[in-house]
Amino acid sequence: MTRDPGTLAASDLSLPRPPGYTPRRDGGLGAYEAVLGRAGFAPVAGIDEAGRGACAGPLVVAAVVLDPARIKRLNGLADSKLLTAAAREEVYAEVLRWALDWHVVVIGNDQIDALGLHVCNVAGMRRAFAGLRCRPGYVLTDGFPVRGLGAPALAVWKGDRVTASVAAASVVAKVSRDRMMQDLHERYPLYGFDRHKGYNTDEHERALAEHGPSPVHRYSFVNVNRAVSRPALLDPLDPVDPVDPVDPMDLMATADLAALTPVAAAPLACDRA
């Protein structure tokens, strides 16, 4: 029985393949994209998230489609966790400048508490991919497989370190979220969100113990739930009502994600027939 190429499973890439259809270890970050392009699956989308392990703030998921011919022009592209904050900002600007398409999804802490972190992560990846205006021929995700994308996909272990598309998505997600956490620091200055970005550091734990959780903490996390007995305290000059959650769309508005790129308003070159 012949299977429609559109139903290609991730496991198919583990089957024996002719030379030229296997990513080389020394092929650099663009090796997977090059192989998939030769196999007729270009363009390739990469998806990654930022904020999965944080106990405060949103989960941010990004999908990025790179032009294979321009991957080598992305100087400094790497896993966002391996870059300094300044280097991430530079790579972020370059990715948005040269990407064929990109889309960012923000999932608030209230949704994470209601639905669970993994459910929100998978749903965010689907939404990020669905938000792309072009039609990628293949999808690379970081770490675990995501069903229901509507395109053949492969989960790549440490994908943000070995594939350009996922690395680009990791940078876009990380920089977008860091900017949002900076904005949340302005609202809730007692917690140090501008420094630890909502992750569980000693400083953050001390602030939770002293002030209790803020409206943007994830109450489904054990350490936050433990501090619920203490009411959240805000700066007396902060006009935000402490019982009102922050709307993720407000964070998107303040992040100004499209300001650095003309791609958002330009015709796309990655439409597939």
Side-chain angles (χ1 to χ4, degrees), residues 19-202:
Y21 289 90
T22 302
R24 295 175 46 147
R25 291 183 181 274
D26 60 352
L29 275 180
Y32 276 81
E33 288 79 4
V35 165
L36 288 165
R38 286 195 292 269
F41 289 103
V44 178
I47 307 177
D48 202 7
E49 44 70 28
R52 181 180 174 90
C55 64
L59 177 71
V60 177
V61 186
V64 175
V65 182
L66 296 177
D67 181 349
R70 297 185 183 273
I71 287 177
K72 291 184 179 180
R73 297 188 185 184
L74 295 173
N75 296 325
L77 179 62
D79 172 11
S80 63
K81 295 184 290 294
L82 302 179
L83 300 173
T84 64
R88 277 196 300 268
E89 288 283 349
E90 293 179 2
V91 174
Y92 172 87
E94 286 296 295
V95 169
L96 266 57
R97 178 184 179 190
W98 296 112
L100 294 174
D101 198 8
W102 56 273
H103 188 70
V104 173
V105 169
V106 181
I107 301 171
N109 58 296
D110 55 336
Q111 293 174 277
I112 294 171
D113 287 340
L115 301 175
L117 180 62
H118 186 68
V119 169
C120 287
N121 198 3
V122 172
M125 289 184 167
R126 291 174 182 151
R127 287 168 53 196
F129 181 73
L132 295 171
R133 296 163 296 163
C134 73
R135 296 171 56 198
Y138 212 91
V139 189
L140 299 173
T141 60
D142 183 31
F144 59 87
V146 180
R147 299 183 183 275
L149 290 171
L154 176 70
V156 182
W157 176 248
K158 295 189 180 297
D160 47 9
R161 300 192 182 190
V162 299
T163 72
S165 300
V166 178
S170 78
V171 169
V172 172
K174 174 65 174 169
V175 172
S176 300
R177 186 178 186 276
D178 282 358
R179 292 180 179 184
M180 295 173 192
M181 295 308 296
Q182 180 66 45
D183 291 334
L184 288 178
H185 173 71
E186 299 299 322
R187 296 180 182 229
Y188 311 108
L190 298 177
Y191 298 93
F193 291 146
D194 60 329
R195 295 183 293 277
H196 52 67
K197 305 302 188 291
Y199 286 90
N200 189 24
T201 64
D202 290 341

Side-chain angles (χ1 to χ4, degrees), residues 3-15 17 36 39-41 137-139 150-154:
R3 183 168 58 183
D4 184 337
T7 64
L8 181 66
S11 59
D12 291 344
L13 286 185
S14 65
L15 299 175
R17 298 178 296 282
L36 288 165
F41 289 103
Y138 212 91
V139 189
L154 176 70

